[in-house]
């Protein structure tokens, strides 16, 4: 029998969020590098998206927030620079497509995994 998993406390990482937003915007890593005037290299962004770098500098987060048209405060929160500004019952989804839906951290993480799966399947057909 498999041990039970603790999925309800699973939170989306900064890297997962940035990867999902970049994908939703249809941008490649190189396009983001160009869009930030080479402030963020494609290799560095790849490391962030793969959670190898979990706390990039605030100025890099600002550049990404501007390019992706997302809330800078959200990125700062995900990177651990600021505390959550919303109570868990006041939470709104960070995933762009579901921005008006109250998503839990677990639901958000599951949606990102499912979206990644769908895109992988699409690419292999």
């Amino acid at each position: 029998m498999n041990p039970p998993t603790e999925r309800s406390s699973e939170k989306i990482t900064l890297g997962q969020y940035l990867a999902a937003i970049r994908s939703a915007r249809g941008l490649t890593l190189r396009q983001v590098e160009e869009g930030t005037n080479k402030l963020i290299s494609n290799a560095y962004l790849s490391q962030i998206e793969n959670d190898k770098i979990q706390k990039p500098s605030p100025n890099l987060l600002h550049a990404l927030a501007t390019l992706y048209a997302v809330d800078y405060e959200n990125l700062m929160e995900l990177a651990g620079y600021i505390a959550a500004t919303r109570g868990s019952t006041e939470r709104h989804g960070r995933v762009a497509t579901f921005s008006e839906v109250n998503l839990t951290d677990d639901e958000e993480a599951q949606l990102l995994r499912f979206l990644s799966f769908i895109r992988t399947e699409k690419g292999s057909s």
Side-chain angles (χ1 to χ4, degrees), residues 59-114:
N59 66 321
L60 295 182
L61 293 175
H62 189 268
L64 289 171
T66 301
L67 180 66
Y68 294 164
V70 296
D71 185 41
Y72 173 64
E73 197 172 298
N74 255 356
L75 298 186
M76 291 292 285
E77 182 182 324
L78 285 169
Y81 285 108
I82 59 175
T85 56
R86 300 175 294 274
S88 59
T89 59
E90 271 183 59
R91 180 157 164 76
H92 68 70
R94 288 188 200 113
V95 179
T97 308
F98 296 96
S99 62
E100 295 183 13
V101 178
N102 260 345
L103 296 176
T104 65
D105 287 335
D106 184 48
E107 290 169 333
E108 216 170 279
Q110 287 181 36
L111 279 171
L112 286 173
R113 279 194 302 276
F114 185 66

Side-chain angles (χ1 to χ4, degrees), residues 15-48:
Q16 290 170 327
Y17 177 65
L18 290 174
I21 295 300
R22 180 177 60 77
S23 181
R25 302 289 188 264
L27 297 170
T28 66
L29 292 168
R30 291 196 189 281
Q31 287 171 323
V32 172
E33 180 177 17
E34 293 299 319
T36 61
N37 294 317
K38 299 195 179 194
L39 178 65
I40 303 167
S41 73
N42 67 73
Y44 190 77
L45 181 57
S46 176
Q47 289 181 326
I48 294 169

